[in-house]
Amino acid sequence: MVDGTLTMYLGDPPERVEVPEGGVVHVESGTVLQLANHGNADVLLYAYGAPPEAGGAEFLDSAV
């Protein structure tokens, strides 16, 4: 996390994880995830990972 506080919802059912400024999260490939900013300040993050598989995305109902 570069700046701000990010809320992540990981898995199914979703588990809420707060990522503070300077925090790092490792998410296994294939994990259902959603990102949210519940604060008033902007969130700036750096995401690194392998390219997604073509056509592998599934849109789920919001965790919030």
Side-chain angles (χ1 to χ4, degrees):
M1 197 64 227
V2 177
D3 195 22
T5 299
L6 176 70
T7 302
M8 298 183 76
Y9 296 91
L10 302 174
D12 188 22
E15 175 185 344
R16 184 177 173 144
V17 176
E18 298 289 330
V19 186
E21 183 175 333
V24 175
V25 174
H26 176 262
V27 180
E28 290 291 332
S29 177
T31 301
V32 175
L33 66 93
Q34 294 182 42
L35 307 176
N37 177 7
H38 295 299
N40 295 325
D42 289 342
V43 168
L44 177 64
L45 66 106
Y46 175 78
Y48 173 81
E53 295 178 15
E58 180 180 350
F59 292 92
L60 307 172
D61 293 334
S62 177
V64 268

